[in-house]
Amino acid sequence: MAKSPKVSFIIPSYNRPNFLKAALGSCLAQTFEDWEAVVIDDHSDKADLEAIIKNFDDDRICYIKQKIDLKGEAAARQTGIDNASTDILITL
């Protein structure tokens, strides 16, 4: 069985590809490596966030697309919290 990460970064996003790239780059630059990043896409229409995540090619990054259009940042953040593997959460 895979070991659960110690820290979860919760990253809600809507049409902010530059923010997402910077946030994930920051996560990857950490010297502490026992983490996961949960990215929640709240139905972005101007950016293919899934393609950005695939370019990072890191199994610690989890992509979730909201099932209901534009639920908002708070709802997207809650989706990330609900899907996190840890109790230590950092929201971006």
Side-chain angles (χ1 to χ4, degrees), residues 12-52:
S13 189
Y14 173 74
N15 287 341
R16 299 187 310 177
N18 291 337
F19 169 78
L20 181 59
K21 289 176 188 176
L24 291 175
S26 178
C27 293
L28 290 164
Q30 300 299 311
T31 56
F32 180 78
E33 297 182 353
D34 197 5
W35 55 265
E36 70 177 352
V38 183
V39 177
I40 308 88
D41 181 353
D42 197 23
H43 282 267
S44 297
D45 57 6
K46 294 182 183 175
D48 187 355
L49 300 184
E50 188 172 12
I52 291 168

Side-chain angles (χ1 to χ4, degrees), residues 10 15 17 21-22 26 31 34-35 42 50 57 59-60 64 68 70 72 81 83:
I10 309 300
N15 287 341
K21 289 176 188 176
S26 178
T31 56
D34 197 5
W35 55 265
D42 197 23
E50 188 172 12
D57 193 30
D59 291 338
R60 296 174 294 179
I64 300 171
I68 300 173
L70 297 173
I81 291 168
N83 286 277

